Amino acid sequence: MTYCLGILLEDGLVMMADTRTNAGVDNVATFRKLRVWERPGERVIVLLSAGNLAITQSVVALLEDSVRWEEHEEMAPGPHGRLMSVPGLTAAARAVGEAVRAVHRRDAAALREQGNDFVCSFLLGGQVAGGPMRLFMIYAAGNFIEAGEDTPFLQIGETKYGKPILDRVVNHETSLAQAAKCALVSFDSTMRSNLSVGPPIDLLIYRRDTLGAPIRRRFQADDPYLLGVRDLWGEGVRQLFLDLPDLPFAPDVTPPLLGAPSPMDTDPLDEE
Amino acid sequence: MTYCLGILLEDGLVMMADTRTNAGVDNVATFRKLRVWERPGERVIVLLSAGNLAITQSVVALLEDSVRWEEHEEMAPGPHGRLMSVPGLTAAARAVGEAVRAVHRRDAAALREQGNDFVCSFLLGGQVAGGPMRLFMIYAAGNFIEAGEDTPFLQIGETKYGKPILDRVVNHETSLAQAAKCALVSFDSTMRSNLSVGPPIDLLIYRRDTLGAPIRRRFQADDPYLLGVRDLWGEGVRQLFLDLPDLPFAPDVTPPLLGAPSPMDTDPLDEE
């Protein structure tokens, strides 16, 4: 499993990814899921990936190849394939989508024959000179959605454990430093509840309109700041919980009943 | 969707369920998902349900029928079908499993023809005189697992948003009052992140060896205690977050880079 998070703020972008991959519980490894394409003063493009690692690495390899060897036309995933030459982030999202579709054409049938779905998703953020900063989520079909002021963060992979703190804290006006801190807390909650998400954690912070020099930081499992935040947060949450008022009825006193002991609802209605 | 939670403690059981059901976002209704079978001084059996409402109601109807009309042998789900006469909780779990399989035999093929899976799961907790208190999770195949001292809580439905606080706070020695409070916080986090889980919330608290008189309480959306806990918790978490130390590097200063700008990992390994 994987957890990746992108936050689009007034001041810039915060992108975070874990590095754990696993094929079953006995084959766990560390792979970078955060890639950066950068030309200082002109563009910063950040890609986070989740899903089948053979698929996501194939997609990234296509994108890398089209950047590295421009003469290899046959390797280019399509007319939008060059992340270092696209005119803006929407074109970059299309380029990633085209690369996803190229890998789908090549591998999906063989995967299906062996009972495997074509599973991958991506977060793409950044800025190209002359255009706005943007953040996209790209699906396995190559289509995509964009984050906006009302929905400032996007997640892929194991998204649920870490979402409540983001819902409570992050909005479009949150500072870069606070958003990065919140991202770490979100990852800590996820790692605590799901062993398949694990350190090291890669962080990238991009300040709007700088077009370069994003902060990049890798948090190892024994990183003092990460451990400090984990302890303070865990202890703080427990204390906060203990300080909440007790239930307005004592559990050892005969209760105010809800009504008859076992009333039944028998109307049919499809749930889900 | 649905969220149900059962907690097995040294002192007793805490069971909680929401009441929201929906078939799409435009067909939302309220149904009780918490049922109790009780004979004071002899047994208390509590069942929580999640999944397709037509399935879960059919299962409960079979169990109810075998309790209500003992002469209706043909309606009984099997030899273990009588929750009011089984000798203990394990037999009760088998009875629920048999009822699930009876509904599967009756409905699964027709559901499959229309592209619907046979989706249901249950939490069963309680105690019968002469036996221990127990808590089970029963799957759609009619098989089940049991909670123990190391894993004191079981969840069904929309389980992830509300799990981190349980992981941090609840263990086998937690008091009934604190566990019930934690369950409410867990439900509040879930309702905040997933609209398909919603109030009213049904709570049942059973004290070990009392064999009756469980506390039952329904929290409506405007319940003063629920609203108070929600506000205190939300504000407390935000303040706790703000009090965490800032990142050890300022996001507007040139960064310590991770290494080369875009190193690539190219070994193949299947993730997931």
Side-chain angles (χ1 to χ4, degrees):
Chain A
M1 205 57 187
T2 292
Y3 177 28
C4 297
L5 168 65
I7 311 176
L8 179 73
L9 303 158
E10 180 59 32
D11 290 347
L13 272 168
V14 172
M15 311 282 280
M16 190 172 277
D18 82 318
T19 54
R20 186 161 294 178
T21 66
N22 65 291
V25 290
D26 55 352
N27 188 354
V28 176
T30 299
F31 284 90
R32 181 159 298 169
K33 301 166 190 173
L34 183 154
R35 282 91 170 182
V36 184
W37 288 267
E38 184 184 2
R39 187 177 290 135
E42 200 244 9
R43 71 183 59 214
V44 171
I45 296 177
V46 187
L47 187 71
L48 311 183
S49 56
N52 181 304
L53 189 60
I55 296 172
T56 60
Q57 290 190 340
S58 294
V59 169
V60 173
L62 281 180
L63 295 168
E64 280 285 321
D65 282 349
S66 69
V67 166
R68 282 182 187 158
W69 301 295
E70 296 220 352
E71 69 271 23
H72 285 227
E73 285 291 339
E74 76 280 9
M75 294 296 291
H80 308 294
R82 296 186 176 82
L83 291 184
M84 291 307 281
S85 57
V86 287
L89 258 287
T90 307
R94 281 201 300 273
V96 175
E98 289 296 326
V100 171
R101 288 168 184 172
V103 175
H104 187 274
R105 285 191 295 272
R106 191 188 72 190
D107 289 349
L111 284 168
R112 197 182 313 117
E113 265 181 39
Q114 311 230 359
N116 295 311
D117 289 332
F118 188 83
V119 179
C120 65
S121 55
F122 300 86
L123 295 180
L124 179 81
Q127 190 173 20
V128 174
M133 202 176 57
R134 308 183 92 148
L135 174 65
F136 294 94
M137 181 192 301
I138 299 143
Y139 298 103
N143 56 339
F144 48 85
I145 61 169
E146 183 173 8
E149 292 191 12
D150 294 325
T151 304
F153 64 87
L154 296 173
Q155 304 167 286
I156 54 176
E158 179 58 275
T159 62
K160 293 188 177 182
Y161 299 117
K163 186 165 180 284
I165 183 62
L166 295 165
D167 281 333
R168 289 188 195 277
V169 169
V170 172
N171 61 55
H172 189 64
E173 281 71 43
T174 303
S175 74
L176 288 170
Q178 294 287 36
K181 197 170 80 173
C182 188
L184 266 189
V185 174
S186 173
F187 271 70
D188 182 51
S189 291
T190 306
M191 292 189 289
R192 204 183 146 83
S193 288
N194 186 336
L195 284 184
S196 74
V197 176
I201 304 297
D202 285 334
L203 164 66
L204 182 143
I205 303 176
Y206 169 72
R207 181 170 289 277
R208 181 190 292 271
D209 297 334
T210 54
L211 295 170
I215 289 182
R216 300 178 66 177
R217 171 85 180 243
R218 170 164 281 193
F219 294 91
Q220 299 289 346
D222 61 352
D223 182 276
Y225 178 72
L226 179 59
L227 292 180
V229 163
R230 173 177 301 170
D231 288 350
L232 286 168
W233 184 257
E235 193 42 53
V237 164
R238 276 188 292 274
Q239 193 56 51
L240 179 63
F241 172 77
L242 292 174
D243 291 343
L244 287 179
D246 286 334
L247 290 165
F249 50 92
D252 44 5
V253 169
T254 303
L257 283 177
L258 280 170
S262 55
M264 291 285 303
D265 307 303
T266 49
D267 292 345
L269 179 77
D270 280 330
E271 198 171 327
E272 197 74 15
Chain B
M1 204 58 188
T2 292
Y3 177 29
C4 297
L5 167 66
I7 310 177
L8 180 73
L9 302 157
E10 181 59 33
D11 291 347
L13 271 169
V14 172
M15 311 283 281
M16 189 172 278
D18 82 317
T19 54
R20 186 161 295 178
T21 66
N22 64 290
V25 291
D26 55 351
N27 187 354
V28 176
T30 299
F31 284 91
R32 181 160 299 173
K33 302 166 191 173
L34 184 154
R35 282 92 171 181
V36 185
W37 288 267
E38 184 184 1
R39 187 177 291 133
E42 201 243 8
R43 70 183 60 213
V44 171
I45 296 177
V46 187
L47 187 70
L48 311 183
S49 56
N52 180 303
L53 189 61
I55 296 174
T56 60
Q57 289 189 339
S58 294
V59 170
V60 173
L62 280 181
L63 295 168
E64 281 284 321
D65 282 348
S66 69
V67 167
R68 285 182 186 159
W69 301 294
E70 297 219 351
E71 69 271 23
H72 284 229
E73 284 292 337
E74 75 283 9
M75 292 297 290
H80 307 293
R82 297 187 176 82
L83 290 184
M84 291 307 280
S85 58
V86 287
L89 259 288
T90 306
R94 280 200 300 272
V96 176
E98 289 298 325
V100 170
R101 289 170 184 170
V103 175
H104 186 274
R105 284 191 295 272
R106 191 189 73 190
D107 289 349
L111 284 168
R112 196 181 313 117
E113 264 181 40
Q114 311 229 1
N116 296 310
D117 290 332
F118 187 83
V119 179
C120 65
S121 56
F122 300 85
L123 296 180
L124 179 82
Q127 189 173 19
V128 175
M133 200 177 57
R134 308 183 91 149
L135 174 64
F136 294 93
M137 182 192 300
I138 298 143
Y139 298 103
N143 57 338
F144 47 85
I145 61 170
E146 182 173 9
E149 294 192 12
D150 295 325
T151 304
F153 65 87
L154 296 173
Q155 305 167 286
I156 55 176
E158 179 58 273
T159 61
K160 292 187 177 184
Y161 299 117
K163 186 165 180 283
I165 183 63
L166 295 164
D167 282 332
R168 291 187 195 277
V169 168
V170 172
N171 60 56
H172 188 64
E173 283 70 43
T174 303
S175 74
L176 288 171
Q178 293 288 36
K181 197 171 78 173
C182 188
L184 266 189
V185 174
S186 173
F187 270 70
D188 182 50
S189 290
T190 305
M191 291 189 290
R192 201 181 149 83
S193 287
N194 186 335
L195 284 184
S196 74
V197 176
I201 303 297
D202 285 335
L203 164 68
L204 181 143
I205 301 177
Y206 170 73
R207 180 170 289 276
R208 180 190 291 273
D209 297 334
T210 54
L211 295 169
I215 291 183
R216 299 178 67 177
R217 170 84 181 246
R218 172 164 281 194
F219 295 90
Q220 300 289 345
D222 60 352
D223 182 275
Y225 178 72
L226 179 59
L227 292 180
V229 162
R230 173 176 300 171
D231 287 349
L232 286 168
W233 184 256
E235 192 44 51
V237 164
R238 275 189 292 274
Q239 191 57 50
L240 179 63
F241 172 78
L242 292 174
D243 292 343
L244 287 178
D246 286 333
L247 291 165
F249 49 92
D252 45 3
V253 170
T254 303
L257 283 176
L258 280 171
S262 56
M264 292 285 304
D265 308 303
T266 50
D267 292 345
L269 178 79
D270 281 328
E271 198 170 327
E272 197 73 15

